[in-house]
Amino acid sequence: MDPHTTDAVHCKLCLSDCPAPETSRLRSCGCVFCTQCLRQYVQLAIQDGAGAPITCPDLACKHPGPLLDSEIASFAPSDQVELYRRLKFERGVQLDPSKAWCPALDCQAVCSVMPNAEGRAVPVPCPACHTVFCCSCREPWEDRHACSQQQPLVVSLPSSDTEATIKQCPKCGVYIERNQGCAQMLCKSCKHTFCWYCLQNLDGDIFLRHYDKGPCRNKLGHSRASVMWNRTQVAGILVGVTIIVVVTSPLLLLASPCILCCVCKPCHRKKGEKKKKKKMTKEQKPPDSVA
C-alpha cells in the first residue's frame, strides 16, 4: 500500500484529499481541513461576520465551538486579525444591555448603563468626556428629562406614518439600518430572518406567505409578479430535487451491490491471494516423467 495514500486527509471544504502536513486540526472540535481552505474560510468570516464567533465550517460537526484567537491569528493576516478583534469588541458592547457607546460624536468610550430598580431611566455619565445622557433613549440628560422610550429603539407599527430606519434584531439585539430594499431582513450577525415591520420570524417562510395577509400584507416591497416568480423558482427547485431523488433511488439500489463489491478491498485481496497460490502451485509442480 502506498504510504502517501494513508497520510492523505479528506477536506470537506475543497472535497479533495491532501497530504497531512498541509492540513490543520481545530482545537475546539478536532475537525481537520486543508490549511489553505481554513485561511480562506477565516478571512471571509472576518469580512462578513461582523464580529460574530467563527466556528467550525463543517455543518455536520457535533462540537462546533468557536475558534481560538491564536487559531484565527494563524489563518489571517495581522490587519484582518485586528479588524476582527475590533468588530468582536463592538458586537459585545451591542449585545450587552449593561453597556453602551457614548452618544457624543467625538467620543468612543463605553459606558455602564443600568436603569434603577423600578425600571425607570436614569442619567449616565461618560467616564471619558463627562457627557451625561439618558440610559434608555441615549438623549442628553437635562433637568426634568422625560424619556420617550424605555428601550434604545421602539418598533413602529406598520400602520404608522413614520417608520423607523434603525431597529434591533429580535434575536441578538444588533442594530440594523434599512435604507431601501424589501421588508425581509437578514441579520448579518446571527443570520436570523425576520420581517422589518412586525419583527416576526421568517426563517421557515421560504414562500414569503407572511406578506399575503395580516398587518404586513403587500408590504414586502416587491411587485406581485416578482413574488410569484420567486415562489415559482422555489417550487421548481423543490420539484426538481424530488424528481432526482425519485429517479435515482431505484438505480442506486440496483447498483449498490456492484458499488460495494468494487470498493470492498478484502475481496480484491482474497482474489489476489488465490491467483498467487495458483501461480506458485503451477511453478512448484514437477514435470511428468517420460516412460
Side-chain angles (χ1 to χ4, degrees), residues 246-277:
V246 172
V247 172
T248 57
S249 295
L251 298 177
L252 291 176
L253 290 175
L254 294 175
S256 58
C258 298
I259 297 174
L260 292 175
C261 184
C262 293
V263 300
C264 184
K265 293 183 179 179
C267 295
H268 292 292
R269 190 180 298 112
K270 289 181 180 179
K271 290 181 180 179
E273 291 177 355
K274 289 181 179 179
K275 290 181 179 179
K276 289 181 180 180
K277 289 182 179 179

PDB file of all heavy atoms in Angstrom, residues 246-277:
ATOM      1  N   VAL A 246     -36.359  10.630  -6.664  1.00  0.00           N
ATOM      2  CA  VAL A 246     -37.236   9.515  -7.049  1.00  0.00           C
ATOM      3  C   VAL A 246     -36.626   8.694  -8.174  1.00  0.00           C
ATOM      4  O   VAL A 246     -36.698   7.458  -8.185  1.00  0.00           O
ATOM      5  CB  VAL A 246     -38.621  10.057  -7.441  1.00  0.00           C
ATOM      6  CG1 VAL A 246     -39.477   8.956  -8.037  1.00  0.00           C
ATOM      7  CG2 VAL A 246     -39.322  10.660  -6.235  1.00  0.00           C
ATOM      8  N   VAL A 247     -36.009   9.379  -9.150  1.00  0.00           N
ATOM      9  CA  VAL A 247     -35.452   8.674 -10.305  1.00  0.00           C
ATOM     10  C   VAL A 247     -34.186   7.908  -9.944  1.00  0.00           C
ATOM     11  O   VAL A 247     -33.964   6.775 -10.378  1.00  0.00           O
ATOM     12  CB  VAL A 247     -35.172   9.673 -11.450  1.00  0.00           C
ATOM     13  CG1 VAL A 247     -34.410   9.000 -12.578  1.00  0.00           C
ATOM     14  CG2 VAL A 247     -36.482  10.242 -11.973  1.00  0.00           C
ATOM     15  N   THR A 248     -33.331   8.527  -9.143  1.00  0.00           N
ATOM     16  CA  THR A 248     -32.042   7.902  -8.846  1.00  0.00           C
ATOM     17  C   THR A 248     -32.112   6.864  -7.736  1.00  0.00           C
ATOM     18  O   THR A 248     -31.209   6.029  -7.645  1.00  0.00           O
ATOM     19  CB  THR A 248     -31.020   8.986  -8.457  1.00  0.00           C
ATOM     20  OG1 THR A 248     -31.536   9.731  -7.325  1.00  0.00           O
ATOM     21  CG2 THR A 248     -30.779   9.940  -9.619  1.00  0.00           C
ATOM     22  N   SER A 249     -33.122   6.890  -6.902  1.00  0.00           N
ATOM     23  CA  SER A 249     -33.192   5.931  -5.790  1.00  0.00           C
ATOM     24  C   SER A 249     -33.221   4.483  -6.269  1.00  0.00           C
ATOM     25  O   SER A 249     -32.436   3.644  -5.785  1.00  0.00           O
ATOM     26  CB  SER A 249     -34.410   6.234  -4.916  1.00  0.00           C
ATOM     27  OG  SER A 249     -34.272   7.482  -4.299  1.00  0.00           O
ATOM     28  N   PRO A 250     -34.107   4.100  -7.228  1.00  0.00           N
ATOM     29  CA  PRO A 250     -34.061   2.702  -7.697  1.00  0.00           C
ATOM     30  C   PRO A 250     -32.736   2.335  -8.348  1.00  0.00           C
ATOM     31  O   PRO A 250     -32.244   1.205  -8.185  1.00  0.00           O
ATOM     32  CB  PRO A 250     -35.221   2.641  -8.709  1.00  0.00           C
ATOM     33  CG  PRO A 250     -36.106   3.786  -8.362  1.00  0.00           C
ATOM     34  CD  PRO A 250     -35.194   4.847  -7.858  1.00  0.00           C
ATOM     35  N   LEU A 251     -32.145   3.268  -9.107  1.00  0.00           N
ATOM     36  CA  LEU A 251     -30.867   2.983  -9.756  1.00  0.00           C
ATOM     37  C   LEU A 251     -29.767   2.754  -8.727  1.00  0.00           C
ATOM     38  O   LEU A 251     -28.926   1.865  -8.891  1.00  0.00           O
ATOM     39  CB  LEU A 251     -30.487   4.134 -10.694  1.00  0.00           C
ATOM     40  CG  LEU A 251     -31.453   4.390 -11.863  1.00  0.00           C
ATOM     41  CD1 LEU A 251     -30.997   5.606 -12.660  1.00  0.00           C
ATOM     42  CD2 LEU A 251     -31.542   3.166 -12.761  1.00  0.00           C
ATOM     43  N   LEU A 252     -29.780   3.563  -7.673  1.00  0.00           N
ATOM     44  CA  LEU A 252     -28.778   3.383  -6.621  1.00  0.00           C
ATOM     45  C   LEU A 252     -28.964   2.063  -5.898  1.00  0.00           C
ATOM     46  O   LEU A 252     -27.987   1.393  -5.531  1.00  0.00           O
ATOM     47  CB  LEU A 252     -28.852   4.553  -5.635  1.00  0.00           C
ATOM     48  CG  LEU A 252     -28.391   5.916  -6.167  1.00  0.00           C
ATOM     49  CD1 LEU A 252     -28.622   6.994  -5.124  1.00  0.00           C
ATOM     50  CD2 LEU A 252     -26.918   5.867  -6.537  1.00  0.00           C
ATOM     51  N   LEU A 253     -30.225   1.669  -5.677  1.00  0.00           N
ATOM     52  CA  LEU A 253     -30.477   0.389  -5.010  1.00  0.00           C
ATOM     53  C   LEU A 253     -30.002  -0.788  -5.870  1.00  0.00           C
ATOM     54  O   LEU A 253     -29.444  -1.767  -5.359  1.00  0.00           O
ATOM     55  CB  LEU A 253     -31.974   0.251  -4.714  1.00  0.00           C
ATOM     56  CG  LEU A 253     -32.533   1.174  -3.628  1.00  0.00           C
ATOM     57  CD1 LEU A 253     -34.044   1.009  -3.522  1.00  0.00           C
ATOM     58  CD2 LEU A 253     -31.879   0.868  -2.287  1.00  0.00           C
ATOM     59  N   LEU A 254     -30.222  -0.685  -7.195  1.00  0.00           N
ATOM     60  CA  LEU A 254     -29.778  -1.756  -8.082  1.00  0.00           C
ATOM     61  C   LEU A 254     -28.262  -1.806  -8.208  1.00  0.00           C
ATOM     62  O   LEU A 254     -27.668  -2.883  -8.326  1.00  0.00           O
ATOM     63  CB  LEU A 254     -30.411  -1.571  -9.466  1.00  0.00           C
ATOM     64  CG  LEU A 254     -31.937  -1.742  -9.550  1.00  0.00           C
ATOM     65  CD1 LEU A 254     -32.437  -1.405 -10.939  1.00  0.00           C
ATOM     66  CD2 LEU A 254     -32.322  -3.177  -9.184  1.00  0.00           C
ATOM     67  N   ALA A 255     -27.648  -0.626  -8.201  1.00  0.00           N
ATOM     68  CA  ALA A 255     -26.198  -0.574  -8.391  1.00  0.00           C
ATOM     69  C   ALA A 255     -25.410  -0.725  -7.099  1.00  0.00           C
ATOM     70  O   ALA A 255     -24.185  -0.857  -7.144  1.00  0.00           O
ATOM     71  CB  ALA A 255     -25.809   0.750  -9.060  1.00  0.00           C
ATOM     72  N   SER A 256     -26.088  -0.693  -5.956  1.00  0.00           N
ATOM     73  CA  SER A 256     -25.368  -0.744  -4.676  1.00  0.00           C
ATOM     74  C   SER A 256     -24.544  -2.010  -4.500  1.00  0.00           C
ATOM     75  O   SER A 256     -23.415  -1.945  -3.987  1.00  0.00           O
ATOM     76  CB  SER A 256     -26.356  -0.565  -3.523  1.00  0.00           C
ATOM     77  OG  SER A 256     -27.364  -1.554  -3.568  1.00  0.00           O
ATOM     78  N   PRO A 257     -25.029  -3.220  -4.897  1.00  0.00           N
ATOM     79  CA  PRO A 257     -24.151  -4.401  -4.755  1.00  0.00           C
ATOM     80  C   PRO A 257     -22.869  -4.290  -5.564  1.00  0.00           C
ATOM     81  O   PRO A 257     -21.791  -4.671  -5.090  1.00  0.00           O
ATOM     82  CB  PRO A 257     -25.042  -5.546  -5.251  1.00  0.00           C
ATOM     83  CG  PRO A 257     -26.437  -5.059  -5.075  1.00  0.00           C
ATOM     84  CD  PRO A 257     -26.374  -3.592  -5.360  1.00  0.00           C
ATOM     85  N   CYS A 258     -22.987  -3.757  -6.776  1.00  0.00           N
ATOM     86  CA  CYS A 258     -21.791  -3.608  -7.614  1.00  0.00           C
ATOM     87  C   CYS A 258     -20.825  -2.597  -7.020  1.00  0.00           C
ATOM     88  O   CYS A 258     -19.607  -2.799  -7.033  1.00  0.00           O
ATOM     89  CB  CYS A 258     -22.193  -3.185  -9.025  1.00  0.00           C
ATOM     90  SG  CYS A 258     -23.238  -4.385  -9.884  1.00  0.00           S
ATOM     91  N   ILE A 259     -21.392  -1.493  -6.498  1.00  0.00           N
ATOM     92  CA  ILE A 259     -20.539  -0.469  -5.896  1.00  0.00           C
ATOM     93  C   ILE A 259     -19.813  -1.019  -4.675  1.00  0.00           C
ATOM     94  O   ILE A 259     -18.613  -0.801  -4.486  1.00  0.00           O
ATOM     95  CB  ILE A 259     -21.380   0.762  -5.536  1.00  0.00           C
ATOM     96  CG1 ILE A 259     -21.975   1.393  -6.807  1.00  0.00           C
ATOM     97  CG2 ILE A 259     -20.550   1.787  -4.781  1.00  0.00           C
ATOM     98  CD1 ILE A 259     -22.937   2.524  -6.524  1.00  0.00           C
ATOM     99  N   LEU A 260     -20.560  -1.762  -3.840  1.00  0.00           N
ATOM    100  CA  LEU A 260     -19.938  -2.331  -2.639  1.00  0.00           C
ATOM    101  C   LEU A 260     -18.865  -3.345  -3.010  1.00  0.00           C
ATOM    102  O   LEU A 260     -17.825  -3.433  -2.356  1.00  0.00           O
ATOM    103  CB  LEU A 260     -21.014  -2.984  -1.768  1.00  0.00           C
ATOM    104  CG  LEU A 260     -22.021  -2.034  -1.110  1.00  0.00           C
ATOM    105  CD1 LEU A 260     -23.096  -2.819  -0.376  1.00  0.00           C
ATOM    106  CD2 LEU A 260     -21.305  -1.112  -0.130  1.00  0.00           C
ATOM    107  N   CYS A 261     -19.124  -4.092  -4.062  1.00  0.00           N
ATOM    108  CA  CYS A 261     -18.136  -5.089  -4.488  1.00  0.00           C
ATOM    109  C   CYS A 261     -16.874  -4.427  -5.021  1.00  0.00           C
ATOM    110  O   CYS A 261     -15.766  -4.917  -4.811  1.00  0.00           O
ATOM    111  CB  CYS A 261     -18.751  -5.999  -5.543  1.00  0.00           C
ATOM    112  SG  CYS A 261     -17.668  -7.343  -6.060  1.00  0.00           S
ATOM    113  N   CYS A 262     -17.057  -3.285  -5.718  1.00  0.00           N
ATOM    114  CA  CYS A 262     -15.895  -2.595  -6.291  1.00  0.00           C
ATOM    115  C   CYS A 262     -15.016  -1.956  -5.220  1.00  0.00           C
ATOM    116  O   CYS A 262     -13.795  -1.897  -5.368  1.00  0.00           O
ATOM    117  CB  CYS A 262     -16.358  -1.529  -7.285  1.00  0.00           C
ATOM    118  SG  CYS A 262     -17.140  -2.206  -8.773  1.00  0.00           S
ATOM    119  N   VAL A 263     -15.660  -1.465  -4.173  1.00  0.00           N
ATOM    120  CA  VAL A 263     -14.891  -0.767  -3.137  1.00  0.00           C
ATOM    121  C   VAL A 263     -14.466  -1.693  -2.016  1.00  0.00           C
ATOM    122  O   VAL A 263     -13.782  -1.258  -1.081  1.00  0.00           O
ATOM    123  CB  VAL A 263     -15.720   0.394  -2.559  1.00  0.00           C
ATOM    124  CG1 VAL A 263     -16.079   1.395  -3.632  1.00  0.00           C
ATOM    125  CG2 VAL A 263     -16.982  -0.095  -1.861  1.00  0.00           C
ATOM    126  N   CYS A 264     -14.881  -2.947  -2.081  1.00  0.00           N
ATOM    127  CA  CYS A 264     -14.546  -3.889  -0.999  1.00  0.00           C
ATOM    128  C   CYS A 264     -13.113  -4.360  -1.182  1.00  0.00           C
ATOM    129  O   CYS A 264     -12.809  -5.197  -2.042  1.00  0.00           O
ATOM    130  CB  CYS A 264     -15.527  -5.058  -1.018  1.00  0.00           C
ATOM    131  SG  CYS A 264     -15.278  -6.215   0.348  1.00  0.00           S
ATOM    132  N   LYS A 265     -12.202  -3.849  -0.393  1.00  0.00           N
ATOM    133  CA  LYS A 265     -10.784  -4.197  -0.500  1.00  0.00           C
ATOM    134  C   LYS A 265     -10.491  -5.645  -0.076  1.00  0.00           C
ATOM    135  O   LYS A 265      -9.632  -6.299  -0.673  1.00  0.00           O
ATOM    136  CB  LYS A 265      -9.953  -3.223   0.325  1.00  0.00           C
ATOM    137  CG  LYS A 265      -9.985  -1.806  -0.230  1.00  0.00           C
ATOM    138  CD  LYS A 265      -9.110  -0.892   0.572  1.00  0.00           C
ATOM    139  CE  LYS A 265      -9.125   0.521  -0.006  1.00  0.00           C
ATOM    140  NZ  LYS A 265      -8.289   1.444   0.766  1.00  0.00           N
ATOM    141  N   PRO A 266     -11.157  -6.190   0.983  1.00  0.00           N
ATOM    142  CA  PRO A 266     -10.869  -7.600   1.340  1.00  0.00           C
ATOM    143  C   PRO A 266     -11.135  -8.566   0.202  1.00  0.00           C
ATOM    144  O   PRO A 266     -10.411  -9.539   0.014  1.00  0.00           O
ATOM    145  CB  PRO A 266     -11.794  -7.849   2.527  1.00  0.00           C
ATOM    146  CG  PRO A 266     -11.996  -6.504   3.132  1.00  0.00           C
ATOM    147  CD  PRO A 266     -12.010  -5.555   1.976  1.00  0.00           C
ATOM    148  N   CYS A 267     -12.193  -8.309  -0.605  1.00  0.00           N
ATOM    149  CA  CYS A 267     -12.490  -9.202  -1.731  1.00  0.00           C
ATOM    150  C   CYS A 267     -11.354  -9.185  -2.741  1.00  0.00           C
ATOM    151  O   CYS A 267     -10.917 -10.233  -3.236  1.00  0.00           O
ATOM    152  CB  CYS A 267     -13.806  -8.788  -2.396  1.00  0.00           C
ATOM    153  SG  CYS A 267     -15.250  -8.983  -1.317  1.00  0.00           S
ATOM    154  N   HIS A 268     -10.875  -7.971  -3.070  1.00  0.00           N
ATOM    155  CA  HIS A 268      -9.752  -7.863  -4.012  1.00  0.00           C
ATOM    156  C   HIS A 268      -8.504  -8.536  -3.460  1.00  0.00           C
ATOM    157  O   HIS A 268      -7.747  -9.169  -4.196  1.00  0.00           O
ATOM    158  CB  HIS A 268      -9.464  -6.388  -4.305  1.00  0.00           C
ATOM    159  CG  HIS A 268     -10.555  -5.706  -5.077  1.00  0.00           C
ATOM    160  ND1 HIS A 268     -10.849  -6.019  -6.382  1.00  0.00           N
ATOM    161  CD2 HIS A 268     -11.433  -4.741  -4.700  1.00  0.00           C
ATOM    162  CE1 HIS A 268     -11.845  -5.277  -6.807  1.00  0.00           C
ATOM    163  NE2 HIS A 268     -12.230  -4.496  -5.797  1.00  0.00           N
ATOM    164  N   ARG A 269      -8.309  -8.412  -2.141  1.00  0.00           N
ATOM    165  CA  ARG A 269      -7.125  -9.009  -1.532  1.00  0.00           C
ATOM    166  C   ARG A 269      -7.198 -10.536  -1.617  1.00  0.00           C
ATOM    167  O   ARG A 269      -6.220 -11.220  -1.901  1.00  0.00           O
ATOM    168  CB  ARG A 269      -6.999  -8.548  -0.087  1.00  0.00           C
ATOM    169  CG  ARG A 269      -5.671  -8.936   0.551  1.00  0.00           C
ATOM    170  CD  ARG A 269      -5.573  -8.467   1.999  1.00  0.00           C
ATOM    171  NE  ARG A 269      -5.647  -7.023   2.076  1.00  0.00           N
ATOM    172  CZ  ARG A 269      -6.670  -6.368   2.609  1.00  0.00           C
ATOM    173  NH1 ARG A 269      -7.694  -7.051   3.093  1.00  0.00           N
ATOM    174  NH2 ARG A 269      -6.667  -5.057   2.655  1.00  0.00           N
ATOM    175  N   LYS A 270      -8.409 -11.112  -1.352  1.00  0.00           N
ATOM    176  CA  LYS A 270      -8.565 -12.561  -1.397  1.00  0.00           C
ATOM    177  C   LYS A 270      -8.369 -13.093  -2.819  1.00  0.00           C
ATOM    178  O   LYS A 270      -7.746 -14.129  -3.041  1.00  0.00           O
ATOM    179  CB  LYS A 270      -9.948 -12.950  -0.881  1.00  0.00           C
ATOM    180  CG  LYS A 270     -10.107 -12.744   0.615  1.00  0.00           C
ATOM    181  CD  LYS A 270     -11.495 -13.164   1.066  1.00  0.00           C
ATOM    182  CE  LYS A 270     -11.646 -12.958   2.570  1.00  0.00           C
ATOM    183  NZ  LYS A 270     -13.023 -13.341   3.018  1.00  0.00           N
ATOM    184  N   LYS A 271      -8.921 -12.350  -3.806  1.00  0.00           N
ATOM    185  CA  LYS A 271      -8.740 -12.779  -5.195  1.00  0.00           C
ATOM    186  C   LYS A 271      -7.264 -12.772  -5.576  1.00  0.00           C
ATOM    187  O   LYS A 271      -6.768 -13.664  -6.265  1.00  0.00           O
ATOM    188  CB  LYS A 271      -9.536 -11.866  -6.132  1.00  0.00           C
ATOM    189  CG  LYS A 271     -11.049 -12.042  -6.007  1.00  0.00           C
ATOM    190  CD  LYS A 271     -11.779 -11.117  -6.976  1.00  0.00           C
ATOM    191  CE  LYS A 271     -13.285 -11.280  -6.862  1.00  0.00           C
ATOM    192  NZ  LYS A 271     -14.010 -10.368  -7.787  1.00  0.00           N
ATOM    193  N   GLY A 272      -6.551 -11.733  -5.139  1.00  0.00           N
ATOM    194  CA  GLY A 272      -5.126 -11.656  -5.444  1.00  0.00           C
ATOM    195  C   GLY A 272      -4.344 -12.789  -4.807  1.00  0.00           C
ATOM    196  O   GLY A 272      -3.429 -13.358  -5.412  1.00  0.00           O
ATOM    197  N   GLU A 273      -4.696 -13.135  -3.551  1.00  0.00           N
ATOM    198  CA  GLU A 273      -4.004 -14.235  -2.870  1.00  0.00           C
ATOM    199  C   GLU A 273      -4.270 -15.568  -3.574  1.00  0.00           C
ATOM    200  O   GLU A 273      -3.375 -16.418  -3.689  1.00  0.00           O
ATOM    201  CB  GLU A 273      -4.457 -14.284  -1.414  1.00  0.00           C
ATOM    202  CG  GLU A 273      -3.979 -13.094  -0.594  1.00  0.00           C
ATOM    203  CD  GLU A 273      -4.509 -13.154   0.829  1.00  0.00           C
ATOM    204  OE1 GLU A 273      -5.312 -14.059   1.114  1.00  0.00           O
ATOM    205  OE2 GLU A 273      -4.102 -12.285   1.640  1.00  0.00           O
ATOM    206  N   LYS A 274      -5.520 -15.766  -4.052  1.00  0.00           N
ATOM    207  CA  LYS A 274      -5.833 -17.011  -4.759  1.00  0.00           C
ATOM    208  C   LYS A 274      -5.018 -17.138  -6.049  1.00  0.00           C
ATOM    209  O   LYS A 274      -4.501 -18.209  -6.391  1.00  0.00           O
ATOM    210  CB  LYS A 274      -7.326 -17.075  -5.073  1.00  0.00           C
ATOM    211  CG  LYS A 274      -8.193 -17.302  -3.844  1.00  0.00           C
ATOM    212  CD  LYS A 274      -9.661 -17.384  -4.229  1.00  0.00           C
ATOM    213  CE  LYS A 274     -10.532 -17.641  -3.003  1.00  0.00           C
ATOM    214  NZ  LYS A 274     -11.978 -17.705  -3.380  1.00  0.00           N
ATOM    215  N   LYS A 275      -4.897 -16.022  -6.785  1.00  0.00           N
ATOM    216  CA  LYS A 275      -4.120 -16.041  -8.022  1.00  0.00           C
ATOM    217  C   LYS A 275      -2.657 -16.364  -7.742  1.00  0.00           C
ATOM    218  O   LYS A 275      -2.006 -17.123  -8.477  1.00  0.00           O
ATOM    219  CB  LYS A 275      -4.247 -14.708  -8.741  1.00  0.00           C
ATOM    220  CG  LYS A 275      -5.639 -14.463  -9.326  1.00  0.00           C
ATOM    221  CD  LYS A 275      -5.691 -13.122 -10.058  1.00  0.00           C
ATOM    222  CE  LYS A 275      -7.052 -12.879 -10.654  1.00  0.00           C
ATOM    223  NZ  LYS A 275      -7.122 -11.563 -11.358  1.00  0.00           N
ATOM    224  N   LYS A 276      -2.110 -15.775  -6.667  1.00  0.00           N
ATOM    225  CA  LYS A 276      -0.713 -16.036  -6.322  1.00  0.00           C
ATOM    226  C   LYS A 276      -0.501 -17.502  -5.968  1.00  0.00           C
ATOM    227  O   LYS A 276       0.498 -18.133  -6.349  1.00  0.00           O
ATOM    228  CB  LYS A 276      -0.282 -15.149  -5.163  1.00  0.00           C
ATOM    229  CG  LYS A 276      -0.142 -13.678  -5.546  1.00  0.00           C
ATOM    230  CD  LYS A 276       0.317 -12.866  -4.353  1.00  0.00           C
ATOM    231  CE  LYS A 276       0.470 -11.389  -4.724  1.00  0.00           C
ATOM    232  NZ  LYS A 276       0.913 -10.588  -3.552  1.00  0.00           N
ATOM    233  N   LYS A 277      -1.456 -18.107  -5.187  1.00  0.00           N
ATOM    234  CA  LYS A 277      -1.325 -19.510  -4.790  1.00  0.00           C
ATOM    235  C   LYS A 277      -1.377 -20.425  -6.005  1.00  0.00           C
ATOM    236  O   LYS A 277      -0.611 -21.395  -6.115  1.00  0.00           O
ATOM    237  CB  LYS A 277      -2.443 -19.869  -3.804  1.00  0.00           C
ATOM    238  CG  LYS A 277      -2.267 -19.237  -2.436  1.00  0.00           C
ATOM    239  CD  LYS A 277      -3.384 -19.660  -1.499  1.00  0.00           C
ATOM    240  CE  LYS A 277      -3.192 -19.052  -0.120  1.00  0.00           C
ATOM    241  NZ  LYS A 277      -4.292 -19.447   0.808  1.00  0.00           N
TER     242      LYS A 277
END
